[in-house]
Amino acid sequence: MQQLATTQQKAPLYEALMHFKKQRIVPFDVPGHKRGRGNPKLAAFLGEDALAVDVNSMKPLDNLCHPVSVIKEAEEIAAQAFGANEAFFMVGGTTSAVQAMVFSTTKQGDEIILPRNVHRSVLNALVLNGAIPVYVNPEANDELGIALGMSITQVQRAIEEHPNAKAVFVNNPTYYGICSDLKGIVDVAHKAGMKVLADEAHGTHFYFGKDMPISAMAAGADMAAVSMHKSGGSLTQSSFLLMGPGMNADYVRQVVNLTQTTSASYLLMASLDLSRRNLALNGHDIFQQVVDYTNYVRDELHAIGGYYVFGNDLINGDSVYDLDPTKLSIHTLNVGLAGIEVYDILRDDYDIQIEFGDLGNILAYISVGDRERDIERLVGALADIKRRFERSKKGMLTQEYLEPVVAISPQQAFYAQKELLPLHEAIGRICGEFVMCYPPGIPILGPGEVVTEAVVTYIAYAKEKGCQLTGTEDLQVEKLNVVKEGV
């Protein structure tokens, strides 16, 4: 244990950058700003210290595409911290890590079992490589209007009906903090010879907090994509790709290098190195504070009334096998406001920026950097919003998750000949693009799915309430690209 702690005190890449900075090397390489001297405004904005280490790959600093020294050592220490066989620095966000998982385990025509409430990055990967989704439509909580996790029974049925599927994809947790029985899914999938891929974009703290839901690596999953920049404190766009013993890491790196930049940001990589060290050494205390903050807000809002903060009462041992105790997911419909309305009021009237709001819920992201006075400010603002705006919820839409009607594969639909139609004229046709509220970036409609009246009603309502809809060619989302018929 002492040796492990000593190893985790190291930050090899960060230390190499600090040594490099002291050397005062004269740069005749890229980037062209030359340590900030060529762009004074940028240097003033970001600081000379940051631009001094915004450098290109060179022998003393290793190369992310083919690491052999300090990056390799930093990745090995990270793997140890996460309990993984291998860990890769990812500088294209968790999107690139998710897509690397799909590309490493499937190819054109292969089936992959997954819940429909996945992030768009998963469906983007299927558009690119031509794998076929086998959707497990998760159970829904009708009161909250959200999709839950995958039940073991659903996964078993999907495996029995699609025995040649190559992998099972699991959210651990969902955006709202809901966890499936990951260990049970791993056991079932491995027995059938399938890999298990975990999207842990919102689960960094599962590895470092105490009494957290099980992490993907602890559950025996084959790969996991971890957003260190979300709850872990690294810079935006920096993530980890983790691998268990069942993966050929050398092959996976080749797959990663198909799409990841050859000019990796040392600022992003150093932030991963330092954040991993911080969590490995202090994670228990950090995330206990986060849990305490979340519990405090839950208790305060319960006393105020109207709001419901997701809690352990949702756990049912199956589709909600566990719940992330750090997630501050709040149901708002009982005060007569859509989540997106509360989101907008918090920002516009109280200068509070939360993570997202949907039709019935908000998520306030609490993590390593929060302070007690900010938590108090959030509670006070929500109490004031209830006092000022509370009304009847009659006539409000409640269902956030809509089951898709899949007609053809995402790749087939995305690359098909298409025509642009007004929303109501598109009903009954096959969609050729994405429609989603961002965040969270879970598609309402994906390529290859039938446009239904429920989907069009949802889109119109989401626009009316102020949701930011993305993914469509028509930026106003008044028209949809649908697959041409008879072509």
Side-chain angles (χ1 to χ4, degrees), residues 309-472:
V309 181
F310 294 20
N312 287 341
D313 54 301
L314 292 176
I315 294 174
N316 59 24
D318 190 18
S319 56
V320 186
Y321 187 78
D322 208 345
L323 196 74
D324 178 359
T326 72
K327 287 290 183 293
L328 187 57
S329 301
I330 305 170
H331 188 61
T332 63
L333 282 186
N334 289 333
V335 296
L337 293 171
I340 187 61
E341 292 177 307
V342 176
Y343 172 100
D344 286 338
I345 295 168
L346 282 169
R347 185 194 60 240
D348 296 342
D349 292 10
Y350 297 91
D351 295 328
I352 294 174
Q353 181 63 57
I354 59 172
E355 178 66 11
F356 82 89
D358 60 30
L359 298 192
N361 309 282
I362 60 173
L363 174 65
Y365 216 95
I366 301 179
S367 66
V368 59
D370 283 296
R371 302 170 299 178
E372 185 174 346
R373 64 176 178 269
D374 298 328
I375 300 298
E376 293 284 5
R377 184 170 168 182
L378 175 63
V379 170
L382 288 171
D384 203 40
I385 288 170
K386 179 178 182 292
R387 178 185 61 80
R388 293 173 59 199
F389 297 103
E390 186 172 18
R391 57 179 184 252
S392 169
K393 66 176 181 179
K394 185 178 179 181
M396 301 185 73
L397 283 188
T398 61
Q399 198 61 36
E400 183 63 29
Y401 176 71
L402 300 174
E403 288 192 10
V405 180
V406 180
I408 58 178
S409 76
Q411 186 182 66
Q412 186 180 354
F414 189 84
Y415 290 113
Q417 291 188 44
K418 298 187 280 284
E419 58 181 329
L420 202 59
L421 295 179
L423 283 172
H424 282 281
E425 291 182 27
I427 293 173
R429 300 289 293 274
I430 299 172
C431 188
E433 59 186 351
F434 291 96
V435 185
M436 71 204 80
C437 295
Y438 195 88
I442 298 168
I444 302 162
L445 191 61
E449 298 173 5
V450 176
V451 183
T452 63
E453 189 169 348
V455 164
V456 170
T457 299
Y458 181 106
I459 291 171
Y461 185 83
K463 287 174 63 178
E464 176 192 331
K465 291 299 183 183
C467 289
Q468 182 180 2
L469 291 166
T470 67
T472 51

Side-chain angles (χ1 to χ4, degrees), residues 90-326:
M90 303 296 292
V91 295
T94 307
T95 287
S96 63
V98 164
Q99 292 177 348
M101 294 195 302
V102 175
F103 295 158
S104 298
T105 54
T106 64
K107 61 182 184 305
Q108 188 170 32
D110 286 344
E111 292 181 325
I112 178 171
I113 297 168
L114 67 162
R116 177 54 179 76
N117 58 324
V118 291
H119 188 261
R120 69 167 296 176
S121 58
V122 185
L123 301 187
N124 286 350
L126 303 185
V127 167
L128 292 172
N129 84 335
I132 309 297
V134 175
Y135 289 128
V136 172
N137 283 316
E139 293 179 15
N141 181 302
D142 293 333
E143 184 176 346
L144 301 177
I146 64 168
L148 304 177
M150 292 194 295
S151 74
I152 289 288
T153 303
Q154 288 176 317
V155 175
Q156 285 175 323
R157 184 182 305 118
I159 289 174
E160 289 168 4
E161 294 175 355
H162 300 270
N164 294 321
K166 302 299 182 184
V168 178
F169 191 98
V170 189
N171 294 315
N172 192 51
T174 68
Y175 224 131
Y176 301 98
I178 290 167
C179 300
S180 302
D181 180 3
L182 184 55
K183 180 66 169 64
I185 291 172
V186 167
D187 292 343
V188 169
H190 281 177
K191 188 175 180 180
M194 299 177 189
K195 300 295 186 186
V196 177
L197 317 176
D199 182 347
E200 291 189 309
H202 299 276
T204 301
H205 45 287
F206 289 4
Y207 292 90
F208 301 102
K210 187 179 180 183
D211 299 324
M212 294 287 170
I214 193 169
S215 69
M217 291 296 103
D222 297 285
M223 303 181 78
V226 180
S227 286
M228 194 69 162
H229 66 93
K230 289 188 171 74
S231 60
S234 66
L235 291 178
T236 297
Q237 202 173 308
S238 59
S239 295
F240 280 111
L241 176 60
L242 308 178
M243 281 152 284
M247 298 303 302
N248 179 345
D250 296 327
Y251 170 70
V252 174
R253 192 181 293 279
Q254 287 185 314
V255 171
V256 169
N257 286 340
L258 291 174
T259 56
Q260 183 158 258
T261 179
T262 56
S263 303
S265 166
Y266 278 84
L267 296 174
L268 297 182
M269 291 190 288
S271 78
L272 284 170
D273 208 17
L274 288 171
S275 297
R276 180 272 312 153
R277 183 175 72 178
N278 183 37
L279 296 190
L281 298 177
N282 305 304
H284 276 198
D285 292 339
I286 288 170
F287 293 116
Q288 184 57 57
Q289 181 67 76
V290 172
V291 171
D292 289 345
Y293 282 154
T294 301
N295 288 338
Y296 172 77
V297 177
R298 180 182 292 106
D299 292 342
E300 290 294 302
L301 292 186
H302 177 74
I304 291 167
Y307 300 106
Y308 167 72
V309 181
F310 294 20
N312 287 341
D313 54 301
L314 292 176
I315 294 174
N316 59 24
D318 190 18
S319 56
V320 186
Y321 187 78
D322 208 345
L323 196 74
D324 178 359
T326 72

